Structures are given as C-alpha cells and as structure tokens.
Amino acid sequence: MELRCARMLCVLCLVLTVQAFTQEGLKELVLKQLGLSEVPKLHKRDLEDLVIPDHVKNKYMSMLKRQRVKRRALPSLAGILRGIPGHTGEILYSDTTTRQRLMFDMEGRIPKNSEVTMAELKLFKKPLDRAKLPAKQSHRPVSNARVSVYWVQRQHDGTNRTSLIDSRLVPICESGWKSFDVTQAVHYWLRNKRREPMFLEVWIEGERVGRYASEMAKAVSFTSQDPKDRALGKPELVLHTLNLDDYGSPGECREEATVGKSTCCRQKHYISFRELPWAQHWILEPAGFQAYRCSGSCLQPPRFPRRPGSGQRSCAVAGSSALPILYLVRRGNHTEIEAAEFPNMIVERCGCLTDG
C-alpha cells in the first residue's frame, strides 16, 4: 500500500512538473534540477569562442538519440528535397573546422495535418584525394573526422545563431552516402519559419584535439549544392511524415478543439529557451522544445456509489520523458559546458486521473 501511495505521489509531482509551465515555475524547476540557487552570472567574454568538448558533445548526442528512438513512429515518405541550386553559401576554412552552408526550400513541402516523424540529411562523401592528406607523423593514427550538423537560426538583428542537431564520426578513407538525423531542425523550422528556407551548417572537425587530426579532417569533402560541383550525389533532405487523419494517436488534441472544452487530450505547448531572458545565454541546447500539456475535460462517475476519499476526475499527465540540455556553468574564474537530462519535462500521454 505504501509503495502504491508513493507511486501516486510521483504521478502527482509529474503532473505539477509538466503541466504548470509558467516562466517563473520553469526557471525554478531548471535551477533546482541543476542544484543552482540562481541563474549563472556570465560575462560577454564567457560566451565568445565557445568550444563544446568532445566528451560533453558525445554525452548530449547519446541522450538525444535515446529520446528520439523512444518517440519515433513508423513513418511514410513525404518527399526528398534536393536543396536550392546556386545558393550554397560560402565554405569556410580554418585551422580546426571546415564548414558548409546548406539551404532547403521548405515552404509547402510538408502536407497539412501531418507530423514530421523523421528527417534525414544525406550527404555524399567524395572519394578520398590522398594528395590532400598531410605527411605521416609519429602521432597515433587518425581514422575518422567528426561531422556535426547545426540548424542556423537567423535573428531579427541580422546575426545567426546555431543549434547542434547531430554529430558523428565519419571514416576518412570511406566514400558514399552518410545520413544524419535532422528531425529536430525541421521541428525548429516549423516553429520559427518566416517564409524563408531552412538553413543547415555542416562542420567537419578533427577526431580529437590537435593539429594533425585537424589536417586529416580537411581531406573529408562532401558534394555541395553548387551546380558547378560535378561530383555525384547532391545533398538531400528526406522527410518522413504521418497523416494525422489516418494515424493520429489517440489523445492528441485537434487544432480546432477549444481548450478546456474538448475531451482530455495532449495539446502542443512549445517552450523557447531563446525567448526566455533568464535562459537564452546559458542554456545552449536545445533552442526550445515541445513540452505539450494536458487539457480538456473528463467524464465524471455517478455521485453514488463512489469510493470514499475520491474526488473529481481531471485531465492530467499519465506519462512523460526527459529533456537533454547543454548549459554553461561557472567554476571559480572559468566557465564550463555540461550536459544533463531533466526528467518529466515532455508530456507523452494524458489521461483522466481521480483526485485523491
């Protein structure tokens, strides 16, 4: 009996945690989860030239992929977008990174009343040009390069801000198609679209810290969107969707439903960290998330007989999942980047629970 009561208390905590997302409530929740008494006080210099350590990036990506696998539905193919020829953006070279800007026209590409369950960015890795390889050195061998994909958000002031979407090691000597999960980027675009294309950036970096690894990574090259690039396989964005008229899962609120007057259902409720003044500088990833919330009414049982101590049935959270985040934290006189997983932040299921 005590175990059952404890479980019920957990459910009630879960209800309070996920459903009551006021700005101040979310702030208190995040700080409590991180063991902080207040929002970190950061200086401008703390935000310049940030580099996410590989072990932190790997931890964050493993958290993200675990959540994606949990929520992925069987998709039907909606279409393949092959970018906009002639609008590749420039390719930038530096000592540590190769960057390639990609642009995809998304307007009207996603069917109405459908959900994007998966989006894949497919890049064709060109055969290795051994002339570009640096001279062999006494360092331990380097077999891979790290390839990361970022969603680029254009700010109103004309600047850009990026969000890490996927990252993996790619063998330097292999050629052929490489796929990256960019579902999160499409969801961001759907939320933030301003009748403009979706921009992605591909970063190619060294497998590990050091000049030799960086030089080896420069030998990795993908076919661009530039029409002058005659190599095989232009970048492709493959979209998978579900028609919600046919496959909408039970419990999802329809867009036309009136809040509070429909049957208990799960309603979209997006939280943007980039728009919250207290979060926009020190919570690096994600840019925001679809938290969802429970709304609607529940049928009430007859007044008699009723179990003693029971109250009204109300629409509440019946299941939730965690949210991975990357954030900045002050350690004495320096700033560090850490990854954490917040439990019970995303509503997965709603149901009618009886008070008491």
Side-chain angles (χ1 to χ4, degrees), residues 12 27 75 256:
L12 288 175
K27 175 182 173 181
E256 64 270 18

Side-chain angles (χ1 to χ4, degrees), residues 194-205:
R194 300 170 190 156
R195 294 190 176 275
E196 63 177 23
M198 184 178 75
F199 295 92
L200 300 174
E201 269 190 359
V202 180
W203 294 25
I204 305 171
E205 303 167 282

Side-chain angles (χ1 to χ4, degrees), residues 1 36 40-41 52 62 86 90 114 119 133 194 222 243 256 263 304 307 323 352:
M1 186 68 180
L36 302 175
K41 291 182 172 63
I52 304 173
S62 65
E90 64 178 328
S114 65
L133 290 176
R194 300 170 190 156
F222 295 102
N243 185 333
E256 64 270 18
T263 303
F304 298 102
R307 182 172 60 82
L323 175 73
C352 292

Side-chain angles (χ1 to χ4, degrees), residues 312-331:
Q312 296 286 312
R313 296 174 77 235
S314 57
C315 185
V317 179
S320 70
S321 61
L323 175 73
I325 71 162
L326 272 179
Y327 64 99
L328 286 173
V329 63
R330 292 285 294 179
R331 302 282 188 212

Side-chain angles (χ1 to χ4, degrees), residues 33 132 137 160 175 186 197 207 217-218 290 296 344:
Q33 289 279 4
K132 292 184 178 180
Q137 301 181 19
N160 291 333
S175 63
V186 175
E207 179 181 9
K218 289 181 180 179
Q290 191 66 257
N344 305 331

Side-chain angles (χ1 to χ4, degrees), residues 78-84 103-110 120-122 186 198 225 234-239:
I80 299 177
L81 310 185
R82 292 190 171 85
I84 306 174
M103 182 163 66
F104 294 94
D105 182 10
M106 304 289 288
E107 196 66 34
R109 303 283 187 162
I110 301 172
E120 294 176 278
L121 175 65
K122 298 182 68 176
V186 175
M198 184 178 75
Q225 292 175 331
K234 299 293 183 185
E236 295 180 353
L237 182 66
V238 182
L239 300 178

Side-chain angles (χ1 to χ4, degrees), residues 159-171:
T159 61
N160 291 333
R161 189 165 181 181
T162 59
S163 291
L164 177 63
I165 300 300
D166 200 1
S167 180
R168 54 175 287 206
L169 294 176
V170 171

